[in-house]
Structures are given as structure tokens and as C-alpha cells.
Amino acid sequence: MVSNNLSGKVALVTGASRGIGRAIALRLAKDGAAVVVNYVGGAAQAEAVVADIQKGGGKALAVQADVSRVKDIERLFDTTIQHFGKLDILINNAGVILYKPLVDTTEEEFDLLMAINAKGTYFACQQAAKRMADGGRIVNFSSTLTTLMMPMFSAYVTSKGAIEQVTHVLAKELGAKKITVNCVSPGTTDTELLGRDRTAEQNQMYARMSALGRLGTPEDIADVVAMLVSDDGHWITGQNIRANGGII
Ligand code: NDP
């Protein structure tokens, strides 16, 4: 069932083939937006998301692009605008994680995290700054881990900290065009990013970290994104929203 809230809007969601990005793509389509479903390797999963949206009466297109490559990002925006005519909403959701002590992290691992998480978000923001319609919405993705300072995540929080910083600066640069720029920082959310072989004990430990006593779901995070990109989100910009069920 499609509602009218985002009717006439065009949204691009990076990393929308699975996990949080998939839930965001489905939610924005349900709210009426035409959605570009970006992926890097998961073509079949991305096409399944598109099929789900179309089955519900919405418009969607899957576009392969590796966000760590600026040329791919440019092509992703070109295709979006050629196909749907404009861009109103950018969700920089694509991301990867590394669980390793700093002492063992290689240059290649560090560069990969920085390239996908920080550089990908930065240059997608640059394309949006050049090409997004006035009154648009940009939502970047950091993580609650940037405030928890847990061991083993040094490269990940280094890349995510950069995203928080660019969010604040870009909010000021795009304010004149009435484009809002915010960051969402999920807590532990039940996706493949946390690992496929999690034990029941690990899940209980994650659940106990939040005031609401459970792991987040991708839909919990999509609800927050839907609020930020709606008309009612017009006065929220330059913020980092910790969507984590109360991991304080
Ligand atoms: P998943 O691992 O479930 O999904 C990652 C998505 O990113 C996939 O769609 C994948 O595409 C895509 N992707 C990966 N690399 C690239 C790339 N180079 N170019 C384009 N797309 C790419 O992750 P989550 O859904 O859990 O995470 C989404 C965001 O939320 C990330 O930024 C993550 O850091 C953040 N986050 C997640 C938390 C969690 O607990 N899950 C907690 C805090 C933050 P493909 O299928 O094609 O590989």
C-alpha cells in the first residue's frame, strides 16, 4: 500500500540490496517515493527489492555501483536523473565493518573502510550538492560505536567519525538550498553486518546494551529515516540521530 507522504519524490538509497538499506528502500517506496536501489555485488537481492516495490504499486530501479569509486558514483547519479528526472532524497547507507585490533589492521583493510564508508559518502554528498533539487534531504550513516569507544573497531569508527563531521559542515553549505543533511547512527541492528554466525549469548548481550532491551531491526532504522526525509523533518539539519533503543 503506497501512501502520499513522499509522492512525486525520487530517492536514492546506497547499499539497498539487504539489511537496513533494503528496509529503507521499501519504506520510502511505501511512502510514495520512486526509489533507486543501489548495490555492489548483490544483483539478485537488489532486483528482488525492486520487484517487491513494484508489486506494491511503487516505482524502483536497481543500479550497480561501487561507492568507493567516484566514477561509479557519478554514473549512479547520472542513471538516477536520466531515469526518474531528478533527485530529492539521498540515503548514504552502504557500509562495511572490520572487527580487529588496531595493532593487526593492514593498510589495505584501513583503505577499504575509508574508501567505502568515508570517501563513498563524501563524494555521493558532492554529487547531491551539485544535482539535488532544492528542499532535498541527505541522510548519512554513522554508528553508535563512535560514542562507545569499544576495542576492535578502531578503523570502523575512524571512517564513521569522518561521516559525522562532513554531515555538520554540509548542512551549513546546503542550508541556502533548504536541503537538510543529517546522520543516523544505529545501535546493534539485526543484519548480516553483525555476522551470520552470532550465538544466542551474543544476541542477548547486544539486547541488554539498549534501554529497550532488544536488538534493533532494519525497520526500526527505516522509521527514523522516514521521519527525517518527510515534510515534518524540515527543521532538523546538521544532527547526528543515535537510533539505538537507548544505548547511552
Ligand atoms: P549489511 O552488511 O547488511 O548491508 C550492506 C549493504 O551495503 C549491502 O546492500 C551491500 O551491497 C552494500 N555495500 C557494501 N559495499 C558497497 C559498495 N562498495 N558499494 C555499494 N554498496 C555497497 O549492512 P547493514 O544493513 O547492517 O548496515 C547499513 C549501514 O548501517 C552501514 O553503513 C553500517 O555501517 C551502518 N550500521 C549498521 C549497524 C548494525 O548493527 N547493523 C550498526 C551501526 C551502523 P551488496 O549486497 O551488493 O554487497
Side-chain angles (χ1 to χ4, degrees):
M1 178 69 183
V2 174
S3 78
N4 288 327
N5 179 23
L6 298 179
S7 162
K9 307 278 187 198
V10 178
L12 163 56
V13 185
T14 68
S17 49
R18 55 192 159 93
I20 293 170
R22 174 182 179 276
I24 294 169
L26 294 174
R27 173 59 193 265
L28 300 190
K30 189 170 159 236
D31 288 354
V35 180
V36 172
V37 175
N38 161 248
Y39 65 98
V40 63
Q45 287 170 296
E47 291 297 350
V49 176
V50 168
D52 274 359
I53 291 172
Q54 290 171 340
K55 220 181 297 161
K59 291 185 193 149
L61 176 74
V63 181
Q64 194 281 341
D66 180 346
V67 299
S68 69
R69 301 159 69 101
V70 174
K71 285 272 170 258
D72 278 26
I73 294 173
E74 288 168 1
R75 180 174 48 76
L76 176 60
F77 278 72
D78 288 347
T79 309
T80 300
I81 291 167
Q82 277 159 16
H83 195 84
F84 288 123
K86 60 172 181 161
L87 178 69
D88 303 289
I89 298 166
L90 168 65
I91 313 295
N92 276 313
N93 161 84
V96 289
I97 199 165
L98 180 71
Y99 182 74
K100 218 176 203 192
L102 186 151
V103 70
D104 294 329
T105 301
T106 66
E107 181 179 359
E108 290 71 27
E109 288 168 337
F110 181 86
D111 283 349
L112 187 71
L113 259 75
M114 292 303 285
I116 296 174
N117 296 351
K119 181 180 157 194
T121 298
Y122 188 94
F123 283 99
C125 281
Q126 184 182 71
Q127 282 296 308
K130 289 180 182 172
R131 307 171 80 170
M132 180 172 268
D134 285 9
R137 301 275 190 267
I138 299 175
V139 178
N140 295 328
F141 266 76
S142 180
S143 165
T144 293
L145 281 168
T146 60
T147 50
L148 295 181
M149 308 303 170
M150 283 163 72
M152 313 294 271
F153 294 106
S154 61
Y156 183 63
V157 298
T158 299
S159 68
K160 290 296 190 181
I163 292 170
E164 294 178 16
Q165 295 307 106
V166 75
T167 299
H168 303 315
V169 175
L170 192 61
K172 292 188 179 175
E173 292 188 3
L174 295 186
K177 294 176 80 177
K178 296 189 172 43
I179 294 174
T180 68
V181 189
N182 291 292
C183 189
V184 168
S185 290
T188 39
T189 307
D190 192 3
T191 72
E192 289 176 32
L193 192 89
L194 290 187
R196 288 185 183 143
D197 46 4
R198 275 175 280 142
T199 63
E201 288 72 32
Q202 279 171 320
N203 280 335
Q204 279 163 15
M205 190 264 294
Y206 289 138
R208 276 197 302 269
M209 288 168 73
S210 77
L212 296 180
R214 64 170 173 84
L215 248 73
T217 65
E219 290 72 25
D220 290 329
I221 309 304
D223 287 347
V224 175
V225 170
M227 177 192 72
L228 287 172
V229 305
S230 72
D231 284 348
D232 288 347
H234 67 276
W235 195 235
I236 302 173
T237 192
Q239 305 302 313
N240 181 12
I241 313 288
R242 296 195 175 89
N244 58 25
I247 302 175
I248 304 158

